[in-house]
Amino acid sequence: QVQLVESGGGLVQAGGSLRLSCVASGISRGIFSITTMAWHRQAPGKSRDLVAYIGGIGGVNYSDSAKGRFTISRDNARNTVYLQMNSLQPEDTAVYYCQGGSAYWGQGTQVTVSS
């Protein structure tokens, strides 16, 4: 059974940085390496929105709000995908979810940015 576990969230002041991690278990490294992985976020009372995704060969795409501040990367040897978030702002406060392919989701990690 595939499981995704996020970590790295927390409370940070505006302008600060956080790095989120998502470890996939129950999946081989070979399958993980060709699976598109994504980060989404959901703020209170709002819909869940795509932040960034990375394809199996490393192609990346970012939401407009993430461009220039966030970097998605992956370590296929560790079945892990990362989201480096810099210059965080209060509007980045949300629960951040990892998605694997189209079917698998993590439980989310809270990111809170204080002004």
Side-chain angles (χ1 to χ4, degrees):
Q1 182 178 356
V2 177
Q3 286 190 318
L4 303 178
V5 179
E6 303 99 332
S7 62
L11 174 64
V12 64
Q13 289 188 329
S17 298
L18 285 174
R19 188 175 83 152
L20 306 183
S21 300
C22 171
V23 179
S25 62
I27 184 173
S28 71
R29 289 177 186 170
I31 296 298
F32 178 84
S33 70
I34 62 172
T35 299
T36 295
M37 301 296 295
W39 287 97
H40 298 252
R41 68 185 184 186
Q42 187 168 18
K46 296 190 176 181
S47 61
R48 188 175 296 188
D49 295 327
L50 177 68
V51 176
Y53 68 82
I54 183 167
I57 57 173
V60 299
N61 201 359
Y62 297 94
S63 67
D64 287 343
S65 62
K67 284 178 185 175
R69 299 188 302 131
F70 295 0
T71 302
I72 189 170
S73 62
R74 65 193 300 158
D75 184 342
N76 292 331
R78 291 180 167 82
N79 277 18
T80 301
V81 62
Y82 303 98
L83 185 68
Q84 177 67 44
M85 304 186 295
N86 299 328
S87 302
L88 284 162
Q89 299 302 315
E91 52 266 35
D92 296 314
T93 295
V95 178
Y96 284 70
Y97 295 92
C98 177
Q99 183 191 19
S102 60
Y104 301 103
W105 291 87
Q107 81 289 347
T109 186
Q110 176 70 48
V111 171
T112 303
V113 185
S114 63
S115 57

